[in-house]
Amino acid sequence: MQDFLKFNKMITPTIITVIFYVGSALSIIAGFISIATGASADFGGGAQVFAGLLTLLFGPFVIRIYCELLIVMFKMHENLQVITKNVCSEQKSSSSADLL
């Protein structure tokens, strides 16, 4: 709880994971709607069917890449905290060894 209140623990990576699943589901639904709308069109629906297929196939991948780029920032933050903790503990141990 202490880490959460001091903003040392981030909750955003969990939220980004939820955004990925919701975005992928919406992308797939939008692809199916586009395919159905294009297939039921009287004239010129082929392009819309093709766009729906592209959305169905590439939409989740694009959302995944976007979410991964966001997560990279938080992973860097976590690793920097580990490095800081290690450096601080080494400094404390070396300063106590100097006293002896």
Side-chain angles (χ1 to χ4, degrees):
M1 188 69 164
Q2 186 88 6
D3 287 339
F4 178 74
L5 293 175
K6 289 185 177 182
F7 289 94
N8 290 331
K9 182 178 187 321
M10 299 289 178
I11 61 168
T12 310
T14 306
I15 295 171
I16 292 172
T17 304
V18 171
I19 289 172
F20 165 70
Y21 288 120
V22 170
S24 293
L26 290 176
S27 174
I28 291 169
I29 291 169
F32 281 130
I33 289 172
S34 181
I35 290 170
T37 305
S40 65
D42 292 331
F43 179 73
Q48 192 168 5
V49 169
F50 183 70
L53 285 172
L54 288 177
T55 302
L56 195 66
L57 295 175
F58 294 115
F61 290 118
V62 171
I63 293 169
R64 173 71 186 226
I65 291 169
Y66 175 71
C67 289
E68 283 182 5
L69 289 174
L70 291 175
I71 293 257
V72 162
M73 296 298 199
F74 292 100
K75 293 294 183 183
M76 286 191 309
H77 176 264
E78 289 173 5
N79 289 332
L80 284 172
Q81 282 189 330
V82 169
I83 291 169
T84 302
K85 184 184 252 185
N86 289 340
V87 168
C88 287
S89 67
E90 285 179 13
Q91 286 177 350
K92 286 180 184 178
S93 67
S94 67
S95 66
S96 64
D98 291 340
L99 293 174
L100 297 174

